[in-house]
Coordinates of all heavy atoms in Angstrom, one line a residue:
M356 N 40.9 157.5 24.5 CA 41.4 158.3 25.6 C 40.8 158.2 26.8 O 39.6 158.3 27.0 CB 41.1 159.9 25.1 CG 41.9 160.8 25.8 SD 41.4 162.5 25.2 CE 42.4 162.6 23.6
A357 N 41.4 157.6 27.7 CA 40.9 157.3 29.1 C 41.3 158.2 30.1 O 42.5 158.5 30.3 CB 41.3 155.8 29.5
E358 N 40.2 158.5 31.0 CA 40.6 159.5 31.9 C 41.0 158.7 33.1 O 40.4 157.8 33.6 CB 39.3 160.3 32.3 CG 39.0 161.3 31.2 CD 37.9 162.3 31.8 OE1 37.6 162.2 33.0 OE2 37.3 163.1 31.0
S359 N 42.1 159.1 33.7 CA 42.6 158.5 34.9 C 42.4 159.3 36.1 O 42.5 160.6 35.9 CB 44.1 158.1 34.8 OG 44.8 159.3 34.9
T360 N 41.9 158.6 37.1 CA 41.7 159.3 38.3 C 42.8 159.3 39.3 O 42.6 159.1 40.5 CB 40.3 159.0 38.9 OG1 40.4 157.6 39.2 CG2 39.2 159.3 38.0
Q361 N 43.9 159.1 38.9 CA 45.1 158.9 39.8 C 45.2 160.2 40.5 O 45.2 161.4 40.1 CB 46.4 158.6 39.0 CG 46.4 157.3 38.4 CD 47.6 156.9 37.6 OE1 48.4 157.8 37.6 NE2 47.6 155.8 36.8
P362 N 45.5 160.1 41.8 CA 45.7 161.2 42.7 C 47.0 161.9 42.5 O 47.3 163.1 42.7 CB 45.7 160.7 44.2 CG 46.0 159.3 44.0 CD 45.4 158.9 42.6
G363 N 47.8 161.2 41.8 CA 49.2 161.8 41.5 C 50.1 161.8 42.6 O 49.8 161.1 43.6
T364 N 51.3 162.3 42.4 CA 52.3 162.2 43.5 C 51.9 163.0 44.8 O 51.5 164.2 44.6 CB 53.6 162.6 43.0 OG1 54.0 161.9 41.9 CG2 54.7 162.4 44.1
P365 N 52.0 162.5 45.9 CA 51.6 163.3 47.1 C 52.7 164.4 47.2 O 53.8 164.3 47.1 CB 51.8 162.3 48.3 CG 51.9 161.0 47.7 CD 52.2 161.1 46.3
A366 N 52.1 165.6 47.4 CA 52.9 166.8 47.5 C 53.6 167.0 48.8 O 54.7 167.6 48.9 CB 52.2 168.0 47.1
T367 N 53.0 166.6 49.9 CA 53.4 166.7 51.2 C 54.0 165.4 51.7 O 53.3 164.4 51.9 CB 52.4 167.3 52.2 OG1 51.3 166.3 52.2 CG2 52.0 168.5 51.7
T368 N 55.3 165.3 51.9 CA 55.9 164.1 52.6 C 56.6 164.5 53.7 O 57.1 165.6 53.9 CB 57.0 163.6 51.6 OG1 57.9 164.5 51.2 CG2 56.3 162.9 50.4
P369 N 56.4 163.7 54.8 CA 56.9 164.1 56.1 C 58.3 163.9 56.3 O 58.9 164.3 57.4 CB 56.1 163.0 57.1 CG 55.9 161.9 56.2 CD 55.7 162.4 54.8
T370 N 59.0 163.4 55.3 CA 60.3 163.3 55.4 C 61.2 164.4 55.0 O 60.7 165.2 54.0 CB 60.9 162.0 54.5 OG1 60.5 162.3 53.2 CG2 60.2 160.7 55.0
S371 N 62.3 164.6 55.6 CA 63.1 165.8 55.2 C 64.6 165.3 55.1 O 64.9 164.5 55.7 CB 63.1 166.8 56.2 OG 63.4 166.4 57.5
W372 N 65.3 165.9 54.3 CA 66.6 165.5 53.9 C 67.6 166.4 54.7 O 67.5 167.7 54.4 CB 66.9 165.4 52.5 CG 68.2 165.1 52.0 CD1 69.2 165.9 51.6 CD2 68.8 163.8 51.7 NE1 70.2 165.2 51.3 CE2 70.0 163.9 51.4 CE3 68.1 162.5 51.9 CZ2 70.8 162.8 51.0 CZ3 69.0 161.4 51.6 CH2 70.2 161.6 51.1
G373 N 68.5 165.9 55.3 CA 69.4 166.8 56.1 C 70.5 166.1 56.8 O 70.8 164.8 56.6
W374 N 71.2 166.7 57.4 CA 72.5 166.3 58.1 C 72.2 165.6 59.5 O 71.6 166.3 60.4 CB 73.5 167.4 58.3 CG 74.8 167.0 58.9 CD1 75.1 167.0 60.2 CD2 76.0 166.3 58.3 NE1 76.4 166.7 60.4 CE2 76.9 166.0 59.2 CE3 76.2 165.9 56.9 CZ2 78.1 165.6 59.1 CZ3 77.3 165.4 56.7 CH2 78.4 165.2 57.6
C375 N 72.6 164.3 59.6 CA 72.4 163.7 60.9 C 73.7 163.9 61.6 O 74.7 163.5 61.3 CB 72.1 162.2 60.8 SG 72.0 161.3 62.3
A376 N 73.6 164.5 62.7 CA 74.7 164.9 63.6 C 75.2 163.7 64.3 O 76.3 163.7 64.9 CB 74.5 166.0 64.5
W377 N 74.4 162.6 64.4 CA 74.9 161.4 65.2 C 75.8 160.4 64.4 O 76.8 160.0 64.9 CB 73.7 160.8 65.8 CG 73.3 161.4 67.0 CD1 73.6 160.9 68.3 CD2 72.5 162.5 67.2 NE1 73.0 161.8 69.2 CE2 72.4 162.8 68.6 CE3 72.1 163.5 66.4 CZ2 71.8 164.0 69.1 CZ3 71.4 164.6 66.9 CH2 71.2 164.8 68.4
H378 N 75.3 160.2 63.1 CA 76.2 159.3 62.5 C 77.1 160.1 61.4 O 77.7 159.4 60.5 CB 75.4 158.1 61.8 CG 74.5 158.5 60.7 ND1 73.2 158.8 60.8 CD2 74.7 158.6 59.4 CE1 72.7 159.2 59.6 NE2 73.6 158.9 58.6
Q379 N 76.9 161.4 61.4 CA 77.8 162.3 60.6 C 77.7 162.0 59.1 O 78.6 161.7 58.5 CB 79.3 162.1 61.0 CG 79.5 162.5 62.5 CD 79.5 164.0 62.7 OE1 80.3 164.7 61.9 NE2 78.6 164.4 63.4
S380 N 76.4 162.0 58.7 CA 76.2 161.8 57.2 C 74.8 162.5 56.9 O 73.9 162.7 57.8 CB 76.3 160.5 56.9 OG 76.0 160.3 55.5
Y381 N 74.5 162.6 55.6 CA 73.2 163.1 55.4 C 72.2 161.9 55.3 O 72.6 160.7 55.0 CB 73.2 163.6 54.0 CG 73.8 165.0 53.9 CD1 75.2 165.2 53.4 CD2 73.1 166.2 54.2 CE1 75.7 166.5 53.4 CE2 73.6 167.5 54.2 CZ 74.9 167.6 53.9 OH 75.4 168.9 53.8
A382 N 71.0 162.1 55.8 CA 70.0 161.1 55.9 C 68.6 161.7 55.6 O 68.4 162.8 55.7 CB 70.0 160.4 57.2
R383 N 67.8 160.8 55.2 CA 66.3 161.1 55.0 C 65.6 161.0 56.2 O 65.7 160.0 57.0 CB 65.8 160.4 53.9 CG 64.5 160.8 53.3 CD 64.1 160.0 52.0 NE 65.0 160.2 51.0 CZ 65.1 159.5 49.9 NH1 64.1 158.6 49.7 NH2 65.9 159.6 49.0
G384 N 64.7 162.0 56.4 CA 63.9 161.8 57.5 C 64.4 162.4 58.8 O 63.9 161.9 60.0
V385 N 65.1 163.4 58.8 CA 65.9 163.8 59.9 C 64.8 164.7 60.7 O 64.0 165.4 60.0 CB 67.1 164.6 59.5 CG1 68.2 163.7 59.2 CG2 66.9 165.8 58.7
R386 N 65.0 164.7 61.9 CA 64.2 165.6 62.8 C 64.9 166.4 63.6 O 66.2 166.1 64.0 CB 63.2 164.8 63.7 CG 62.3 163.9 63.0 CD 61.1 164.8 62.4 NE 60.4 165.5 63.4 CZ 59.4 165.0 64.1 NH1 58.9 163.8 63.9 NH2 58.8 165.9 64.9
L387 N 64.5 167.6 64.0 CA 65.3 168.5 64.8 C 65.4 168.1 66.3 O 64.3 167.7 66.9 CB 64.7 169.9 64.8 CG 65.3 170.9 65.7 CD1 66.7 171.2 65.3 CD2 64.5 172.2 65.7
I388 N 66.6 167.8 66.7 CA 66.8 167.4 68.2 C 67.7 168.4 68.8 O 68.7 168.7 68.3 CB 67.6 166.2 68.1 CG1 66.9 165.0 67.3 CG2 67.7 165.6 69.6 CD1 65.6 164.4 67.8
R389 N 67.3 168.8 70.0 CA 68.1 169.7 70.7 C 68.9 168.7 71.6 O 68.6 168.3 72.6 CB 67.5 170.7 71.5 CG 68.4 171.7 72.0 CD 67.7 172.7 73.1 NE 66.4 173.0 72.7 CZ 65.9 174.1 72.9 NH1 66.6 175.1 73.4 NH2 64.7 174.3 72.8
A390 N 70.3 168.7 71.4 CA 71.1 167.7 72.1 C 72.0 168.3 73.0 O 72.6 167.8 73.9 CB 71.9 166.8 71.0
I391 N 72.4 169.6 72.8 CA 73.3 170.2 73.6 C 72.6 171.0 74.8 O 71.6 171.7 74.6 CB 74.2 171.3 72.8 CG1 74.6 170.7 71.5 CG2 75.2 171.9 73.6 CD1 75.7 169.5 71.8
E392 N 73.1 170.7 76.0 CA 72.5 171.3 77.2 C 72.8 172.9 77.1 O 73.9 173.4 76.6 CB 73.1 170.7 78.4 CG 72.9 169.3 78.6 CD 73.5 168.7 79.8 OE1 74.1 169.6 80.5 OE2 73.2 167.5 80.1
Q393 N 71.8 173.6 77.7 CA 71.9 175.0 77.5 C 72.4 175.5 78.9 O 72.1 176.8 79.1 CB 70.6 175.6 77.2 CG 70.2 175.3 75.8 CD 68.9 176.0 75.4 OE1 68.0 176.1 76.3 NE2 68.8 176.4 74.1
G394 N 73.0 174.9 79.7 CA 73.5 175.4 81.0 C 74.4 176.5 80.8 O 74.4 177.5 81.5
S395 N 75.4 176.5 80.0 CA 76.4 177.4 79.9 C 76.7 177.9 78.6 O 77.8 178.2 78.2 CB 77.7 176.8 80.6 OG 78.2 175.7 79.8
G396 N 75.6 177.9 77.7 CA 75.9 178.5 76.5 C 74.6 178.7 75.7 O 73.5 178.4 76.3
P397 N 74.6 179.1 74.4 CA 73.5 179.4 73.8 C 72.7 178.1 73.4 O 71.6 178.1 72.9 CB 73.9 180.1 72.5 CG 75.3 179.7 72.3 CD 75.8 179.4 73.8
G398 N 73.4 176.9 73.4 CA 72.8 175.6 73.0 C 73.0 175.5 71.6 O 73.3 176.4 70.9
A399 N 72.6 174.3 71.1 CA 72.7 174.1 69.6 C 71.6 173.2 69.3 O 71.1 172.3 70.1 CB 74.0 173.4 69.3
S400 N 71.2 173.3 68.0 CA 70.1 172.4 67.5 C 70.7 171.5 66.4 O 71.3 171.9 65.6 CB 69.0 173.3 66.8 OG 68.3 174.0 67.8
L401 N 70.6 170.2 66.7 CA 71.1 169.2 65.9 C 70.0 168.4 65.3 O 68.8 168.2 65.9 CB 72.1 168.3 66.7 CG 73.3 169.1 67.3 CD1 74.0 168.1 68.0 CD2 74.1 169.7 66.2
F402 N 70.3 167.8 64.2 CA 69.4 166.9 63.6 C 69.7 165.4 63.6 O 71.0 165.1 63.6 CB 69.2 167.3 62.1 CG 68.5 168.6 61.9 CD1 69.2 169.8 61.9 CD2 67.0 168.6 61.7 CE1 68.6 170.9 61.8 CE2 66.5 169.9 61.5 CZ 67.1 171.0 61.5
A403 N 68.7 164.6 63.8 CA 69.0 163.2 63.8 C 68.0 162.4 63.0 O 66.9 162.7 62.8 CB 68.9 162.6 65.4
C404 N 68.5 161.3 62.4 CA 67.7 160.5 61.5 C 66.9 159.5 62.4 O 67.3 159.4 63.7 CB 68.5 159.7 60.5 SG 69.7 158.6 61.2
G405 N 66.1 158.8 61.7 CA 65.4 157.8 62.4 C 66.0 156.7 63.2 O 65.8 156.6 64.4
P406 N 66.9 155.9 62.6 CA 67.7 155.1 63.2 C 68.6 155.6 64.4 O 68.6 155.0 65.5 CB 68.6 154.5 62.2 CG 67.8 154.7 60.8 CD 67.2 156.1 61.2
C407 N 69.1 156.7 64.2 CA 69.8 157.2 65.3 C 68.9 157.8 66.5 O 69.4 157.7 67.7 CB 70.7 158.4 64.8 SG 72.1 158.1 63.8
R408 N 67.8 158.1 66.2 CA 66.9 158.6 67.2 C 66.5 157.4 68.1 O 66.3 157.5 69.3 CB 65.6 159.1 66.6 CG 65.8 160.6 66.1 CD 64.5 161.3 66.0 NE 63.5 160.6 65.3 CZ 63.3 160.6 63.9 NH1 64.1 161.3 63.2 NH2 62.4 160.1 63.5
K409 N 66.4 156.2 67.5 CA 66.1 155.1 68.2 C 67.3 154.5 69.0 O 67.1 154.1 70.1 CB 65.7 153.9 67.2 CG 64.2 154.0 66.7 CD 63.7 152.9 65.8 CE 62.3 153.2 65.3 NZ 61.9 152.0 64.4
T410 N 68.4 154.6 68.3 CA 69.6 154.1 69.0 C 70.0 154.9 70.2 O 70.3 154.2 71.2 CB 70.7 154.1 67.9 OG1 70.5 153.4 66.8 CG2 72.1 153.7 68.7
H411 N 69.9 156.1 70.1 CA 70.1 157.1 71.2 C 69.0 157.5 72.0 O 69.3 158.4 72.8 CB 71.0 158.2 70.6 CG 72.2 157.8 69.8 ND1 73.4 157.5 70.5 CD2 72.5 157.7 68.5 CE1 74.3 157.1 69.5 NE2 73.8 157.3 68.4
N412 N 67.9 157.0 71.7 CA 66.7 157.4 72.5 C 66.4 158.9 72.4 O 66.4 159.5 73.5 CB 66.8 156.8 73.9 CG 65.4 156.9 74.6 OD1 64.4 156.9 74.0 ND2 65.4 157.0 75.9
L413 N 66.4 159.5 71.1 CA 66.3 160.8 71.2 C 64.9 161.2 70.8 O 64.1 160.5 70.2 CB 67.3 161.4 70.0 CG 68.7 161.1 70.1 CD1 69.4 161.4 68.7 CD2 69.3 161.9 71.2
T414 N 64.5 162.4 71.3 CA 63.0 162.8 71.0 C 63.1 164.1 70.2 O 63.9 165.1 70.6 CB 62.4 163.1 72.4 OG1 62.4 162.0 73.3 CG2 61.0 163.7 72.1
P415 N 62.5 164.1 69.1 CA 62.3 165.3 68.4 C 61.9 166.5 69.1 O 61.0 166.3 70.0 CB 61.5 165.0 67.3 CG 61.4 163.4 67.1 CD 61.7 163.0 68.6
L416 N 62.5 167.6 68.9 CA 62.2 168.8 69.6 C 60.7 169.2 69.5 O 60.1 169.6 70.6 CB 63.0 169.9 69.1 CG 62.9 171.2 69.9 CD1 63.5 171.0 71.3 CD2 63.7 172.3 69.2
A417 N 60.1 169.0 68.4 CA 58.7 169.2 68.3 C 57.8 168.4 69.1 O 56.6 168.6 69.4 CB 58.3 169.1 66.8
D418 N 58.4 167.3 69.5 CA 57.5 166.3 70.2 C 57.7 166.4 71.8 O 57.0 165.7 72.6 CB 57.9 164.8 70.0 CG 57.4 164.4 68.4 OD1 56.8 165.4 67.8 OD2 58.0 163.5 67.8
L419 N 58.6 167.2 72.2 CA 58.7 167.5 73.6 C 57.7 168.3 74.2 O 57.2 169.3 73.5 CB 60.1 168.1 73.8 CG 61.4 167.2 73.6 CD1 62.7 168.1 73.7 CD2 61.5 166.1 74.5
P420 N 57.3 167.9 75.3 CA 56.2 168.8 76.1 C 56.9 170.1 76.4 O 57.9 170.1 77.0 CB 55.8 168.0 77.3 CG 56.9 167.1 77.5 CD 57.5 166.8 76.2
L421 N 56.2 171.2 76.3 CA 56.9 172.5 76.6 C 56.4 172.9 78.1 O 55.3 172.6 78.5 CB 56.5 173.5 75.6 CG 57.0 173.3 74.1 CD1 56.5 174.3 73.2 CD2 58.5 173.3 74.2
Ligands
ZN759 ZN1 71.7 159.2 61.9

């Protein structure tokens, strides 16, 4: 009987599974992006995956300076 000191599966993963509004499909690691201008409406919050954020030069809402 050997004791293993494996830390096990990490419980917290930074990736999230959701709908990417840019390539219109579910993707892993989506981040909240606010893409709709709020000039004449309530605005909308959309999610984008990593590749789409690079392609469209999107900045996650959480990373924007307030
Ligand atoms: Zn995407």
Side-chain angles (χ1 to χ4, degrees):
M356 199 178 285
E358 289 188 13
S359 68
T360 56
Q361 295 179 2
T364 306
T367 57
T368 51
T370 58
S371 58
W372 179 264
W374 179 264
C375 174
W377 273 260
H378 75 265
Q379 296 286 302
S380 182
Y381 286 100
R383 189 172 301 170
V385 295
R386 294 288 302 275
L387 177 60
I388 310 284
R389 187 186 328 211
I391 308 301
E392 295 181 0
Q393 292 188 321
S395 60
S400 296
L401 301 176
F402 291 83
C404 68
C407 285
R408 291 201 305 273
K409 287 185 178 181
T410 301
H411 301 282
N412 195 24
L413 302 169
T414 303
L416 189 62
D418 295 348
L419 290 175
L421 295 177

